[in-house]
Amino acid sequence: MEVSAPKILILYASYGEGHVQAARAIMDSLRRLGRCEVQLLDLMAESHPWLNGLTKFVYMQSFKTIPQLYGWIYNITREMQAKSAFGHVLHSFGMRQLAVTLKKEQPDLVIHTFPQLALPALRRKMGMNLPIVNVVTDFDLHGRWLHPDIDRYYVATEDIQQEAVQRGIPNERIIATGIPIHASFYNLSADVAPVQEQIIPPLQADTTTLLIMAGAYGVLSGMLDICRHLSQLPQLRLLIVCGRNQQLKAELDALYADHPDIYTYGFVDYVPALMQASNLVITKPGGITLSESIASGLPILAFKPVPGQELNNALYLQQKGAARIARTTEELIQHCIDLISTPTLADEMKQAIGLLRKPHPADQIAEDILHQLVDKGPSVRTN
């Protein structure tokens, strides 16, 4: 017999990119810091592929066409209880597929980066002694994340930690690590300099660089109007990430092909380099992108946040002084002008961002999980 490497299963969902990015960041840290096997599973996609496709479509369309309805549903269910009738229904999806996976893979610990919590009930049903942890990927705490049978929570801030305690979770189960993002956001500037030289020409003196993140699917609204206004401001360089929206990139390329200070990008894997080359960021306020901006020390302009977790994320960071919310193009342009023309305003936001910045959240989570497994004792398997 030999002591085997611990096996860790990470459950995520592909509603947007944030949950899978968090899962991959944790996976990378676990593999780098400990001798362990890590498997990712999109539980909804594997267990209910047709329903997963339908709900993803509805989710994306609700952001575009009926955001107020999405926000209303999000907010009226925000205080839901895990063991309520509604909670029971939400957490029942994927149970059969998860049972098959557990029997096959026999993990030593399971991580959620999306609140599809079929596992607590399944653990009781199967009589398993299997640690379960939740990684909350927003600066807002929806009741879907909270369950009395979760063994550990990793959250963005101490404020969320306190709220979870007020809502019945023991304080010793919660750690304010920050939201896990890729380790490259914490590298020294020298590590990304070669990439910057390839993708961004040298910056002229007295020029401000503004990064616009349209989201993984390029759904930030009013992009053409925003760029039309910003392109007229002096001493301003625009870096525009269009994500997978090829039509948006093609339209911007056609409009600004001859503009010396506008650069467009599709779906890229060098966001850390773009952020380190920038002074400000305009973005959808998803938890991952906000955390990347905070790690990069960038003042944040949240444009037309969708009611629900995005608006709540933006409101939290605005209250902390790290972000400004703009609900119209005119308001957004004025925020840009204010921050560019009055450096002290941007400096104040950077100071607020510094108070929110957490060092290497994914590593903190990985280290704590590995410590839990050591305390539990290594599993023993026969060959």
Side-chain angles (χ1 to χ4, degrees), residues 11 131 334:
L11 304 178
Q334 189 57 55

Side-chain angles (χ1 to χ4, degrees), residues 9 11 17 39 42 134 146 188 199 209 211 231 239 251 267 274 314-315 360 362 364:
L9 176 64
L11 304 178
E17 290 287 316
Q39 178 184 355
D42 185 341
N134 282 1
L146 303 178
L188 297 175
I199 62 177
T209 299
L211 176 64
S231 65
L239 311 179
E251 290 176 343
F267 189 84
L274 293 173
L315 289 171
H360 300 278
Q364 287 192 58

Side-chain angles (χ1 to χ4, degrees), residues 13-34:
S14 49
Y15 297 91
E17 290 287 316
H19 304 292
V20 66
Q21 286 186 34
R24 288 171 178 162
I26 297 168
M27 177 181 67
D28 291 345
S29 290
L30 284 167
R31 288 176 172 173
R32 179 165 45 82
L33 296 174

Side-chain angles (χ1 to χ4, degrees), residues 155-164 176 316 319-320 356:
V155 299
T157 67
E158 288 76 12
D159 292 325
I160 293 182
Q161 181 177 12
Q162 292 174 14
E163 182 181 352
Y316 177 80
Q319 182 225 341
K320 292 295 184 180
L356 291 170

Side-chain angles (χ1 to χ4, degrees), residues 207-254:
T207 298
T208 298
T209 299
L210 173 58
L211 176 64
I212 304 178
M213 300 287 292
Y217 297 95
V219 295
L220 187 71
S221 64
M223 283 289 292
L224 295 179
D225 196 30
I226 293 170
C227 293
R228 180 174 62 84
H229 284 83
L230 291 175
S231 65
Q232 300 172 18
L233 297 181
Q235 296 180 307
L236 180 64
R237 180 171 66 173
L238 301 181
L239 311 179
I240 308 168
V241 181
C242 302
R244 294 188 173 92
N245 191 334
Q246 296 179 0
Q247 180 181 346
L248 174 62
K249 186 177 187 305
E251 290 176 343
L252 290 172
D253 287 343

Side-chain angles (χ1 to χ4, degrees), residues 165-184:
V165 170
Q166 293 168 2
R167 294 168 69 174
I169 305 300
N171 186 64
E172 62 271 16
R173 295 189 192 178
I174 315 164
I175 304 178
T177 56
I179 297 172
I181 58 177
H182 197 274
S184 57

Side-chain angles (χ1 to χ4, degrees), residues 218-375:
V219 295
L220 187 71
S221 64
M223 283 289 292
L224 295 179
D225 196 30
I226 293 170
C227 293
R228 180 174 62 84
H229 284 83
L230 291 175
S231 65
Q232 300 172 18
L233 297 181
Q235 296 180 307
L236 180 64
R237 180 171 66 173
L238 301 181
L239 311 179
I240 308 168
V241 181
C242 302
R244 294 188 173 92
N245 191 334
Q246 296 179 0
Q247 180 181 346
L248 174 62
K249 186 177 187 305
E251 290 176 343
L252 290 172
D253 287 343
L255 286 170
Y256 301 110
D258 297 325
H259 197 294
D261 290 315
I262 295 182
Y263 306 90
T264 64
Y265 309 89
F267 189 84
V268 301
D269 59 2
Y270 45 78
V271 173
L274 293 173
M275 285 194 169
Q276 289 204 26
S278 302
N279 304 107
L280 304 170
V281 62
I282 296 173
T283 183
K284 291 171 75 276
I288 296 297
T289 304
L290 292 176
S291 298
E292 292 170 349
S293 302
I294 289 170
S296 303
L298 284 180
I300 299 161
L301 299 176
F303 185 56
K304 290 186 179 180
V306 174
Q309 71 268 29
E310 285 199 357
L311 177 57
N312 293 355
N313 285 341
L315 289 171
Y316 177 80
L317 293 187
Q318 179 172 260
Q319 182 225 341
K320 292 295 184 180
R324 289 189 175 192
I325 297 174
R327 293 177 172 83
T328 66
T329 300
E330 292 73 22
E331 189 177 8
L332 179 66
I333 300 305
Q334 189 57 55
H335 283 325
C336 291
I337 293 171
D338 291 344
L339 291 170
I340 293 169
S341 62
T342 311
T344 55
L345 296 178
D347 290 340
E348 289 172 1
M349 292 181 72
K350 290 178 182 178
Q351 291 176 13
I353 288 167
L355 296 176
L356 291 170
R357 192 175 190 267
K358 302 287 186 182
H360 300 278
D363 283 0
Q364 287 192 58
I365 292 169
E367 288 170 354
D368 186 68
I369 285 172
L370 293 169
H371 183 70
Q372 289 182 63
L373 292 175
V374 169
D375 286 348

